[in-house]
Amino acid sequence: MPTGRPAKLNATTRAGAAQRIKDGAIPEQVAADLGVSRSTLYRELRKHRESAAIEHAGQDG
């Protein structure tokens, strides 16, 4: 069972934020829209990239 504070964003919200930035949105605006700091947004986006890489690696085998 995980310990510590719950994540600010769930997987769906992280994916949506990543797509908005990919489409040209300003990260500071995306963070403000989600009610998180810019550093929290970047940390959550890193989690999104890592989980996407793990899923992709699992499909190769």
Side-chain angles (χ1 to χ4, degrees):
M1 178 148 201
T3 60
R5 293 183 70 152
K8 289 281 189 175
L9 306 177
N10 63 33
T12 304
T13 308
R14 281 195 298 262
Q19 186 61 50
R20 285 181 61 192
I21 292 170
K22 183 179 177 183
D23 291 343
I26 299 169
E28 287 81 358
Q29 185 60 51
V30 174
D33 292 346
L34 295 173
V36 298
S37 69
R38 188 183 64 200
S39 60
T40 297
L41 175 64
Y42 286 131
R43 184 171 45 254
E44 295 291 335
L45 291 174
R46 186 172 58 244
K47 288 180 191 177
H48 173 72
R49 285 192 309 271
E50 290 170 355
S51 66
I54 291 169
E55 288 175 12
H56 181 70
Q59 293 174 355
D60 291 342

